[in-house]
Amino acid sequence: MFSKNATVAEIITGGVMGKINKTKRSPLKDKPLRYPGQSLLQQRNDLFDSKILAPLVAAMMFTTLAGIEWLRYFRPSKPSPLAYTVLAFLAIAYFGYQSWKTLPQLKKMNQGIDGEKAVGQYLERLREDGYQVFHDVIGDGFNLDHVVIGPAGVFTVETKTWSKPDRGSPKIVFDGESIKSGYMKPNRDPLIQARAQSAWLRQLLEESTGKHYNVRPVIVFPGWFIESTKGANNKLWVLEPKALPKFLSNVPDLMPVEDIKLASYHLSRFVRSREKNNGGALL
C-alpha cells in the first residue's frame, strides 16, 4: 500500500515497477564496483546543484514573474511590477555571487575527477600482471582513491592533481618525511592522509580475513616531476603514476595467489555492502 503523502508519479511508477519485479529480475548478481573519482564526482554534483542550479532556478523564476507582471502592466488593470522586478534583480545578484564563489571550487573538483580517472585507467593495466584494482573505496568520512592488490602486496594510491606553475619546472621533492614544492603548499599534509588510509585498510583486511597484510601507502602526482631521495625502499612512495609499475617490479613477490584472491574478495564484499547500505538498488 502507498502512504497518503505519496505523489501520483510515485504511485504510478511504484505500481509499474512492482508488476515488473514480480516477473523479472536483474541479470547482475552483484552491484558493480565503484569507478575512479566517484566520490568527488558526487560532491561536485551536489555543490553544483546547491550553489549554481538552485540560485539559477530562483533567478529564472523571479525573472519570469517580473516579465509576467510587466505584461500585465500594459493591460487595463495595470498592476505594479516593481516588487517582482526587485526580487528578480536580487535573485540574479544572488546567482551571480554564488557562481563567482563556487566556480573555482567546481574547476578544482573537475581537475581532481580527471586526475583520478586518468590514474585509475592507468592502474587498470596492472591487471595484466596479476593485480586486482579497486577505485573509490568508501570509508567512514573519507575515501581511498585506489587500492591495488597483487604479487608485490597491498597498496593504497592517493591521487593529487595539483595545478602546475605557468613557468618553471613542476617539481616535487620528497625526502621521506615531507613533500615540498616551490609552487604549491598543501592545505593538509598528504603524507599523514596516506598513512592513515593505509592503516585503515590494513585493519579492515585483518578484521575481515583474519590475516595480516602489509599495506603500503602511495601518493601519485600526475604530470609532475618527482625527486625522491628514498626510492623504492621507503615505506611510503611518492611517484608520478607512470613510475608505479617500475617500483612494483623492484619489490619481490610477497603475496601468493591465494592471499591476493582472499584480500580482493573481502574488499569487494566490503565495497558492495557499503553500496547496498547507501540505498543503491539494482533496477
Side-chain angles (χ1 to χ4, degrees):
M1 296 297 293
F2 296 98
S3 65
K4 295 181 179 179
N5 296 326
T7 65
V8 175
E10 290 172 341
I11 294 174
I12 294 175
T13 56
V16 172
M17 291 305 297
K19 292 179 180 179
I20 293 176
N21 290 334
K22 290 180 180 179
T23 57
K24 296 182 180 181
R25 59 188 178 90
S26 170
L28 302 178
K29 182 179 179 181
D30 291 311
K31 288 182 65 64
L33 296 174
R34 297 174 68 84
Y35 52 82
Q38 184 170 343
S39 290
L40 193 56
L41 180 62
Q42 291 171 344
Q43 294 177 26
R44 186 207 64 182
N45 290 342
D46 291 341
L47 181 64
F48 178 83
D49 290 344
S50 62
K51 300 298 184 180
I52 300 295
L53 187 58
L56 176 60
V57 170
M60 293 176 62
M61 180 184 68
F62 287 114
T63 301
T64 302
L65 290 175
I68 293 173
E69 287 300 301
W70 277 112
L71 289 174
R72 291 178 58 190
Y73 178 76
F74 293 100
R75 295 182 179 181
S77 58
K78 293 186 179 180
S80 174
L82 182 59
Y84 288 107
T85 302
V86 172
L87 289 175
F89 275 113
L90 291 176
I92 292 172
Y94 177 69
F95 165 70
Y97 170 74
Q98 289 291 353
S99 299
W100 173 78
K101 187 173 65 172
T102 306
L103 285 176
Q105 300 178 52
L106 291 174
K107 182 179 179 180
K108 185 177 180 180
M109 285 184 170
N110 285 331
Q111 181 172 289
I113 292 169
D114 290 342
E116 289 189 28
K117 285 183 177 180
V119 172
Q121 291 170 358
Y122 188 80
L123 294 178
E124 287 293 324
R125 303 177 188 177
L126 296 174
R127 295 186 187 275
E128 300 176 357
D129 300 322
Y131 286 87
Q132 296 294 321
V133 182
F134 298 84
H135 306 291
D136 199 46
V137 178
I138 301 297
D140 296 323
F142 66 95
N143 76 300
L144 310 183
D145 291 343
H146 318 277
V147 175
V148 177
I149 303 175
V154 183
F155 303 83
T156 58
V157 182
E158 174 68 19
T159 301
K160 296 298 183 185
T161 315
W162 286 3
S163 298
K164 297 166 67 173
D166 295 332
R167 298 179 180 178
S169 174
K171 182 174 72 173
I172 290 175
V173 179
F174 174 57
D175 60 6
E177 297 297 331
S178 62
I179 293 176
K180 298 178 181 179
S181 170
Y183 169 65
M184 181 174 183
K185 183 178 181 180
N187 295 327
R188 57 176 178 172
D189 192 343
L191 302 182
I192 296 176
Q193 179 187 7
R195 291 187 178 112
Q197 291 176 348
S198 65
W200 175 84
L201 182 59
R202 185 184 306 114
Q203 182 179 358
L204 174 68
L205 292 176
E206 187 169 348
E207 291 176 352
S208 59
T209 66
K211 301 189 67 173
H212 176 75
Y213 288 89
N214 182 30
V215 182
R216 186 193 298 266
V218 181
I219 305 174
V220 295
F221 290 86
W224 286 77
F225 174 75
I226 309 298
E227 181 181 313
S228 177
T229 59
K230 292 297 181 180
N233 295 324
N234 191 47
K235 294 181 179 180
L236 187 151
W237 294 345
V238 177
L239 309 169
E240 208 280 336
K242 295 180 181 179
L244 183 57
K246 181 179 179 180
F247 271 61
L248 292 175
S249 65
N250 291 331
V251 178
D253 291 351
L254 302 175
M255 291 180 60
V257 175
E258 293 77 12
D259 286 347
I260 296 174
K261 291 182 178 179
L262 181 64
S264 300
Y265 172 78
H266 281 270
L267 183 57
S268 67
R269 300 317 302 172
F270 172 81
V271 172
R272 289 188 169 105
S273 66
R274 275 300 178 98
E275 288 291 283
K276 183 178 180 180
N277 293 336
N278 287 338
L282 288 172
L283 296 179

